[in-house]
């Protein structure tokens, strides 16, 4: 299954904020039925949702960036893409480090797609909180999935993925919270990808952790 969108959505409440849950979309490239699971991380603290949008023309790669307000930190993020899902795929959805003076990727969210169809609008979301988070990443050159563990005693609040090389050459298959023992799945995040063609890729999984 090719991951095409993974983002926070705005439900029937009246606030206009995408604070009501998480939506995942994928395209099944096989002949058999596949299950797609969406996981939502829910909390009660103060959260701001920021978004950035860009137009990505046909047969090109592109993405958008969403920045957290100055003193806030990225706790999660995602990306949604309009149009026919069969014609684009996710290649990156990850936290990034801006110019705030620390080295943590706590400044917002970046996304990247390859668009094999006509023009698309990409919206990147950053879920921003006042509390500091801990950021972990883990990479592989040799597998199509990789785990990023949260420090012992902390809990995963958001996950991301990045694939090296040209976006046309590989697509994301999963950004998934996991549990090392029992539920809830807050031990960290596992990222998955599949290569379309081209030279070998490095896959990086990102976990954002609270506590
Ligand atoms: Ca809402
Ligand atoms: Ca930073």
């Amino acid at each position: 299954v090719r991951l095409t969108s993974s983002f926070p959505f705005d439900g029937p409440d009246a606030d206009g904020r995408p604070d009501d849950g998480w939506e995942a979309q994928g395209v099944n490239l096989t002949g058999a039925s596949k299950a797609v699971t969406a996981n939502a991380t829910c909390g009660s603290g103060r959260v701001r949702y920021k978004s950035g949008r860009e137009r990505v023309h046909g047969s090109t790669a592109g993405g958008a960036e969403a920045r957290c307000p100055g003193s806030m930190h990225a706790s999660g993020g995602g990306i949604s893409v309009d149009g026919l899902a069969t014609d684009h795929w996710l290649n990156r959805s990850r936290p990034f480090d801006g110019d705030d003076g620390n080295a943590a990727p706590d400044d917002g969210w970046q996304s990247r797609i390859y668009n094999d169809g006509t023009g698309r609008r990409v919206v990147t979301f950053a879920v921003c909180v006042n509390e500091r988070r801990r950021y972990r990443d883990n990479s592989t050159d040799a597998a199509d999935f990789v785990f990023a563990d949260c420090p012992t005693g902390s809990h995963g609040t958001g996950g991301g993925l990045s694939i090296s090389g040209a976006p046309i050459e590989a697509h994301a298959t999963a950004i998934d919270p996991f549990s090392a023992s029992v539920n809830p799945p807050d031990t960290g995040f596992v990222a998955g990808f599949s290569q379309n063609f081209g030279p070998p890729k490095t896959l990086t999984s990102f976990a954002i952790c609270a506590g």
Side-chain angles (χ1 to χ4, degrees), residues 72-73 96-108 132 135:
M72 300 186 86
H73 309 282
F96 72 89
D97 182 34
D99 51 10
D100 64 342
N102 68 31
D106 60 343
D107 300 290
R132 289 191 178 281
Y135 299 82

Side-chain angles (χ1 to χ4, degrees), residues 133-148:
R133 295 293 195 232
R134 292 201 265 181
Y135 299 82
R136 293 291 184 272
D137 62 77
N138 193 21
S139 297
T140 180
D141 296 324
D144 55 8
F145 65 93
V146 64
F147 291 84

